[in-house]
Amino acid sequence: MQNKILKIEKNIWDSFSKENRIGLYLGLSGFILFYDYLYEAYPVVEFENKLLAVIEKTNELIEEQQNSISLCSGVAGYGLTLLRLRNSSIDISEDYFVSIDAILLEDFEILCASNNFDFMHEAMGIAMYFIERYKSNKNIAITKILSIFAKNLILKINGDFKNILVKSDESRGDYYSFGLAHGVASYLNFLIYLKTHFTVLNADISKTLKVCVDFLVSYKNYDTKTKQYYANVISIETNKIIPSRLSWCQGDLGVSNALYNAGVFLDDTLLINEAISLMNHSATLSLEDSAVDDFGVCHGSAGILIQLYLASKKYKIDYSKEIDRWYEILKKQTCNFEEYLWFDNSSKQYIPETNLLVGSVGLGLTLLTIENKIDTKWLEVINLY
């Protein structure tokens, strides 16, 4: 086994006893995902035992404390992770998943009714759990839940997409997001994933995808500072933009992925070519242009690395030089895989972090992937495929 994977695994396990968050992006469910794939790549009994230990602790925490329901930090992410376990020796009962269904359902319906569809924190992310439930057993109750949700979402996008896309906070006022974590790109990828895997969905999503694409490309505008075409967010009142980093959560890399998927689904060569052009341009950007401060998946070098790797497979374009360049950047940021520090924008400090989103769990999964030890299926949980 490569020494760097052992270093990363040690960092993750050393933090296990102190981690009491359950989230997929921000806690122990991400550890489960990592150890499940690590054991598949390297079937060492120690890794399977650690996988079981993380599942047991996460289950205990859910029983003991009040938890979020989101994909990012709550029960939906935990349930999704259990449903996607690749280790066939771990058997989770149907009754256990029925109990998770019940925990999620009421708030899921409230989020949908109030137009709160954000992928990371709201209804689309929770729907990922129910899609996985449908894939596993296709029972009538889950089919009904997803059918109602899908019809509602499609009608609302077709009717007034801006109304469900708009978000608001004190510092930004009302705004639109464009990226893969929270914005228009996230809707595109999610809709295609929903249509692909919820096989009884009769609705044609072609019009819905075109609504999202037309809205997205209407805001394409080259920014000379970031050298990207799509902003992170734009203020509705002032038209002022917050520029994007080159990253998973925002910016042209994720937009390219979403436009490419939409182009393939719609059989639209112009859209596919637009996506490829965005990716080709993104691949030329330097570390200085990127505004990247750390190694993480969310808005760091691992997120760039994994998207270039995925694009090379999807687009059939050789990005090996760019992948090598970002790999060297990642090595420097982690002091050759000895240090795992996330840059916190609010405090302007570097902080040790282990989770999937900005820490060593995401780094470990990224390295296992680009070294062909595991496949890219895990990227679906961050709306990337």
Side-chain angles (χ1 to χ4, degrees):
M1 188 187 309
Q2 300 228 10
N3 187 44
K4 58 180 170 290
I5 296 295
L6 286 175
K7 290 179 183 179
I8 294 166
E9 189 279 325
K10 183 179 186 303
N11 172 261
I12 293 167
W13 190 250
D14 285 348
S15 72
F16 168 65
S17 63
K18 301 184 289 290
E19 181 60 76
N20 291 311
R21 299 169 296 180
I22 69 164
L24 174 54
Y25 293 3
L26 298 175
L28 290 169
S29 296
F31 286 43
I32 296 169
L33 186 71
F34 171 76
Y35 277 109
D36 189 35
Y37 273 96
L38 183 63
Y39 180 69
E40 181 178 73
Y42 301 104
V44 178
V45 173
E46 175 192 353
F47 297 150
E48 184 175 44
N49 289 337
K50 288 177 176 178
L51 170 62
L52 292 168
V54 182
I55 292 173
E56 182 178 358
K57 179 176 178 178
T58 312
N59 186 44
E60 289 171 356
L61 287 170
I62 287 174
E63 292 176 353
E64 292 170 0
Q65 64 188 30
Q66 186 74 24
N67 295 287
S68 159
I69 65 165
S70 74
L71 176 68
C72 174
S73 56
V75 177
Y78 176 56
L80 178 66
T81 307
L82 293 183
L83 285 164
R84 293 175 66 97
L85 282 173
R86 297 158 77 99
N87 188 318
S88 59
S89 67
I90 300 175
D91 183 28
I92 313 293
S93 72
E94 171 67 11
D95 286 346
Y96 190 77
F97 288 117
V98 169
S99 69
I100 293 178
D101 299 345
I103 290 170
L104 297 176
L105 186 56
E106 182 178 354
D107 285 340
F108 178 58
E109 291 174 342
I110 291 170
L111 287 169
C112 294
S114 55
N115 292 342
N116 291 309
F117 289 100
D118 179 272
F119 185 83
M120 280 184 66
H121 303 298
E122 298 170 348
M124 286 193 293
I126 297 167
M128 292 291 287
Y129 164 81
F130 285 114
I131 293 169
E132 205 67 31
R133 284 282 282 139
Y134 171 80
K135 286 165 62 179
S136 69
N137 64 14
K138 296 180 172 57
N139 75 44
I140 294 172
I142 300 300
T143 301
K144 183 178 179 181
I145 290 167
L146 275 176
S147 295
I148 293 170
F149 163 78
K151 180 180 178 181
N152 182 31
L153 178 61
I154 291 167
L155 282 172
K156 287 183 174 181
I157 293 174
N158 291 349
D160 187 359
F161 184 38
K162 293 179 180 179
N163 190 45
I164 65 170
L165 184 65
V166 63
K167 294 293 182 183
S168 182
D169 66 31
E170 290 184 7
S171 61
R172 296 174 179 170
D174 291 343
Y175 64 90
Y176 299 131
S177 295
F178 301 100
L180 201 57
H182 307 291
V184 185
S186 71
Y187 281 84
L188 286 168
N189 270 3
F190 174 79
L191 284 165
I192 296 167
Y193 190 85
L194 173 69
K195 180 66 175 177
T196 302
H197 295 284
F198 185 42
T199 54
V200 297
L201 179 60
N202 293 322
D204 180 7
I205 66 166
S206 297
K207 175 184 174 181
T208 315
L209 292 176
K210 289 175 183 175
V211 168
C212 296
V213 167
D214 288 348
F215 183 87
L216 182 60
V217 299
S218 72
Y219 283 93
K220 181 182 179 183
N221 187 33
Y222 185 73
D223 179 66
T224 55
K225 182 178 180 181
T226 64
K227 299 181 181 177
Q228 293 192 73
Y229 289 91
Y230 289 95
N232 176 12
V233 303
I234 186 167
S235 167
I236 295 172
E237 288 127 17
T238 66
N239 220 35
K240 181 180 178 181
I241 72 162
I242 297 178
S244 290
R245 302 186 191 195
L246 190 68
S247 66
W248 164 73
C249 61
Q250 58 195 250
D252 290 359
L253 286 170
V255 171
S256 170
N257 177 268
L259 290 179
Y260 186 90
N261 292 333
V264 171
F265 188 94
L266 297 168
D267 194 22
D268 186 331
T269 302
L270 290 176
L271 201 52
I272 292 171
N273 289 339
E274 170 70 8
I276 290 172
S277 176
L278 267 183
M279 186 61 66
N280 285 338
H281 176 72
S282 297
T284 68
L285 299 187
S286 68
L287 174 62
E288 292 71 27
D289 292 329
S290 72
V292 161
D293 294 310
D294 59 41
F295 71 91
V297 166
C298 186
H299 44 250
S301 54
I304 296 170
L305 192 59
I306 199 63
Q307 288 188 91
L308 288 169
Y309 176 83
L310 182 62
S312 68
K313 289 183 170 295
K314 288 172 68 76
Y315 304 176
K316 304 295 189 292
I317 296 173
D318 182 8
Y319 292 119
S320 57
K321 289 182 180 178
E322 291 78 13
I323 289 169
D324 289 345
R325 175 166 60 88
W326 280 101
Y327 181 80
E328 291 303 314
I329 291 168
L330 188 150
K331 279 178 65 178
K332 290 179 182 177
Q333 289 173 323
T334 59
C335 299
N336 198 25
F337 308 105
E338 296 284 353
E339 211 171 50
Y340 310 97
L341 301 176
W342 160 59
F343 185 72
D344 179 13
N345 278 320
S346 58
S347 66
K348 304 300 180 186
Q349 294 180 329
Y350 281 94
I351 300 170
E353 188 52 82
T354 316
N355 63 46
L356 169 61
L357 195 64
V358 298
S360 51
V361 165
L363 174 62
L365 287 164
T366 296
L367 293 185
L368 287 169
T369 306
I370 66 170
E371 294 179 2
N372 295 311
K373 301 298 183 184
I374 63 174
D375 60 38
T376 59
K377 291 287 287 181
W378 70 272
L379 291 169
E380 293 173 354
V381 305
I382 57 170
N383 209 11
L384 188 64
Y385 50 90

